Structures are given as C-alpha cells and as structure tokens.
Amino acid sequence: MTSRQRLRPCLLGLLWLLLLACAAVPAAAHEPFEITSNARLFADKTTLEVLIADSTSAALCLPDARKLDATQFARHRALLVQCGAGLFQFADARGPLAVRTTEVTLTPENDLLVKLTYPPPAGPSLRIVAVHLARLSDPTYGATLTVTGDRIFLGQKLLRADDDAMLVKLPGATSAGVPASPADPAGAPPVGANSTSPPSADAATASPPSAGSAASFLRLGIEHILGGYDHLLFLAGLLLVCHRWRSALWIVTAFTLAHSITLALAGLGIVAVPSRLVEAAIAATIVYVGVDNLLRGRDGREPGARWLLTFVFGLLHGLGFASALAGIGLPRGMQSVVPLLSFNIGVELGQLAVAAVALPLLFWLRRSPRFLKWGVPALSAMVALAGVFWLLQRTLLA
C-alpha cells in the first residue's frame, strides 16, 4: 500500500471527526436564510409557520436584546405573540385576512417558531406580504415563503425588503370562497385543485394527487438540482477524473440510486436526520472528493470502483434532497409517493441535462496533457475549497 493509499482513510476519518465536532457547536439557525415561512391552504383555514433565527427574532420583537434565549422568551412571551401576529399580511378578494390564532415556541436552538392561522381565502388569488422585513436594518435578510395546498405546490419565493410580496393563484377557487376537498390527515380539509364539492361522509381516503401536482413537483425537482450547486459540484468532482464513458455511467447511476433511496425513506417518514447535520455532511463529501482527486497526483489516473464511494456519499445527498421537501407540506403515508416520485424524476432530468453538457466538454479537455497536468488539480482544489467553505458556513459560522 502506497503512502497516498494509506492517507485516504486517514483523510476520511479526519473529515468525519471535524464534522462531528462542528455538529456539537450550537448554531443560530439551520436554514439558508434567516426567516423560513411555510403557508398551507385548507378549506376551513390557512396556516402559516415561520421559523426565525434567534438574533433576527430579537431584532424584530425585542429591540433591547441581542439574541433570543429561554429567559428572554419566558419574560417577553406576550410581546413575542403580538410581534408574531404582525409578521405577515394576508389578503384575498375581500380584503385583509385577520389572524385567528397565534402560537409561539422556542426551538432547542433558540430560534423562534411562530404558528398562525387565518380564515380560508376567497377569490382567484391570495396576496402575502412580509411586512416585517421593512423593520430589519439589514436589507439582505430574506424570508423564504413556500405555499402549498392539497398535495400541490403553489409557489415559492425569497422575499426581501425591496420585494416583500407574493401573489398566489388559488386552484379551483370560486367567488364564494375556496371549495372543499378530501379531508386532511390532521382533520382540516385542504384546498384541492380538483375539488368541486365537500367530501362525502363516508369518504375514507383522499383522492390521488392531480397531474398538476405531479408537474409542480417535477418542476421543483429540476429547479432544485439546477440550483443545488453543492450537489452538482460533488458530481463534477467525481467525473473530473473519469477516463471512460462507462466509468462516468457507473458514477451517475450509483449517485442516482443512492439519493433515490434516502429521498424515498426520508420523504415517507421512515428515516429522519437533522438537516443541519445532513447539510454539513454533504459539504464534507465535497471536501473529500476534491482532496482525493489531488492525492492522485497529476498523472490523471482513473480511480477504481469509485462508484461505491459515490453510492455511500449519495445516500447523504438524498437526505439533502428530502430536506428541500420538508417544508412543502407533503401528504402523509402513501399519498406522498407521487409527489416524491415526481420530484425525484425532476432531479434526475436536471442532473442528466447537466451531465449531457459537462461530460463531452470534460472528455474533450482530457485530450490535452496540460489539462491533465494542471487543469484537473486546479479544478479539484477549487472543489475542495468550495466544500471547506460550505462546511464552515453550515457549522461553525451558522
């Protein structure tokens, strides 16, 4: 065994030790933005859940505090309830919707979780305004807002102070209000694109997801992989040292199978892993791939059986894909199969589109000895550095 071969297991062990150490460090927030909001439309109500990082919630609701903690939460609970009720404004064809109930809780990470309910919307559309963004001194703060209905994705937008409104087209809405649909597992009937009348008394199960719902999740999967630079960079790092189309096919196939397995397990609720740990682990896989490429030297040797490494790491990336669906409001049980399958197909289509462009370019570049000697190491170093940046950003700097 050469020194390089002995070094790789040590490198992998060090990366995981670093990951575990970073995971033990408390973080202020575990989302890519400071404020994450998820609205769900039901026939008898509209719900909104807002997760706000501790320092941001203090800036919004507690001007005299730098961060929210258990002591501040207990002391100012009434003020937090009042503040939470005014975070967003909902309006339909009739005008503003009044807040029915407000609930605030403190997460283990000292983030503020606000749960609001509003009346069901009427008319063709619902307008949601993040009025609280104007109260933040930093204009770069964003609030990701995701809106869902009955097994259908209605939209997602990053709201900022200079663009704080989202207009949602209501599926199947009428002038009298939003029609009812099969009962939600929690008891409230959600809004449905195919609903035209209240459910019958003997209705036992919800209707299957509509074609529109499948298309929405298909589009969401494509958008997620095309915007998932960490997933794409991981795959690019693996393909960077491939000599043959067969090797590239094995790697792409292993990645596809692996992330499909964990996406399904997490989406069906069989496996649950904290998103903070998953995102940090994904960054660690990128670091490993980039450094492993560098350890192979400049002779351009193709790794053997790297598809196995791809499969193991791909399981982690599948959990990352699942976290992207966590706030979408997937139905429970088997009703989530079609949305999950549609989302996964979208991921695969986006992945294949990128590979179809990148692989011919890589194989053409590999014909050049200069690219093998200088280009591959340089690109591998960039992959490793990007992974290190994401690892620090998602752990120590979170």
Side-chain angles (χ1 to χ4, degrees):
M1 180 180 292
T2 66
S3 59
R4 288 174 181 169
Q5 290 173 329
R6 289 192 297 268
L7 186 58
R8 290 191 191 106
C10 296
L11 171 65
L12 184 59
L14 287 173
L15 280 174
W16 288 117
L17 286 175
L18 175 62
L19 176 61
L20 291 174
C22 292
V25 177
H30 314 313
E31 302 293 336
F33 304 103
E34 296 294 327
I35 304 168
T36 304
S37 313
N38 299 288
R40 295 194 68 191
L41 309 185
F42 298 90
D44 64 341
K45 65 180 179 180
T46 298
T47 66
L48 177 68
E49 291 191 5
V50 187
L51 181 65
I52 313 175
D54 53 359
S55 57
T56 306
S57 58
L60 281 171
C61 305
L62 306 174
D64 296 331
R66 295 185 60 186
K67 285 190 175 185
L68 182 65
D69 55 27
T71 302
Q72 296 281 1
F73 181 81
R75 181 182 304 169
H76 301 292
R77 187 184 186 97
L79 183 60
L80 292 170
V81 170
Q82 180 182 1
C83 178
L87 292 173
F88 285 83
Q89 287 183 353
F90 281 56
D92 61 8
R94 300 165 297 186
L97 303 182
V99 176
R100 285 179 173 174
T101 64
T102 305
E103 177 186 347
V104 295
T105 55
L106 190 68
T107 70
E109 296 82 15
N110 288 335
D111 297 339
L112 181 65
L113 178 61
V114 182
K115 296 182 179 181
L116 305 168
T117 61
Y118 299 83
S125 62
L126 173 67
R127 189 171 187 265
I128 306 174
V129 183
V131 294
H132 61 280
L133 293 177
R135 305 203 304 266
L136 293 172
S137 58
D138 189 345
T140 63
Y141 278 133
T144 54
L145 175 61
T146 304
V147 185
T148 57
D150 177 18
R151 302 173 301 278
I152 184 170
F153 175 75
L154 297 178
Q156 186 178 66
K157 183 177 180 180
L158 172 60
L159 303 176
R160 295 196 182 277
D162 58 352
D163 185 15
D164 61 356
M166 179 177 178
L167 189 66
V168 181
K169 183 179 179 181
L170 300 178
T174 66
S175 58
V178 180
S181 64
D184 177 79
V191 174
N194 298 330
S195 304
T196 55
S197 60
S200 60
D202 58 350
T205 59
S207 60
S210 66
S213 174
S216 298
F217 281 96
L218 178 72
R219 183 180 69 253
L220 186 64
I222 295 175
E223 293 174 351
H224 180 73
I225 188 62
L226 294 181
Y229 304 119
D230 48 356
H231 305 297
L232 293 178
L233 195 60
F234 168 77
L235 191 59
L238 291 167
L239 298 176
L240 189 58
V241 292
C242 287
H243 288 192
R244 300 169 296 173
W245 285 97
R246 182 179 179 181
S247 301
L249 179 61
W250 273 106
I251 284 177
V252 173
T253 302
F255 185 61
T256 298
L257 290 176
H259 72 64
S260 297
I261 290 172
T262 46
L263 172 61
L265 292 176
L268 294 173
I270 300 174
V271 173
V273 182
S275 61
R276 176 183 177 219
L277 184 60
V278 170
E279 295 302 320
I282 288 173
T285 65
I286 299 170
V287 176
Y288 181 87
V289 168
V291 175
D292 187 49
N293 286 354
L294 291 172
L295 291 177
R296 297 181 184 279
R298 297 182 177 180
D299 54 6
R301 298 194 319 276
E302 183 174 46
R306 213 181 194 193
W307 64 268
L308 184 58
L309 176 72
T310 305
F311 183 85
V312 174
F313 285 172
L315 295 173
L316 294 171
H317 285 256
L319 294 174
F321 292 143
S323 68
L325 288 174
I328 299 301
L330 283 173
R332 297 177 177 88
M334 296 305 294
Q335 292 296 329
S336 64
V337 171
V338 171
L340 278 172
L341 181 61
S342 300
F343 180 83
N344 196 48
I345 291 175
V347 169
E348 304 313 325
L349 290 176
Q351 177 181 294
L352 289 175
V354 173
V357 175
L359 278 176
L361 178 61
L362 278 176
F363 284 127
W364 177 76
L365 289 172
R366 291 189 66 86
R367 297 177 184 177
S368 168
R370 290 186 176 180
F371 178 76
L372 294 178
K373 185 177 181 180
W374 303 104
V376 171
L379 291 175
S380 297
M382 292 174 63
V383 170
L385 289 174
V388 169
F389 170 76
W390 280 320
L391 182 59
L392 294 175
Q393 184 186 51
R394 297 171 182 182
T395 53
L396 299 177
L397 300 180

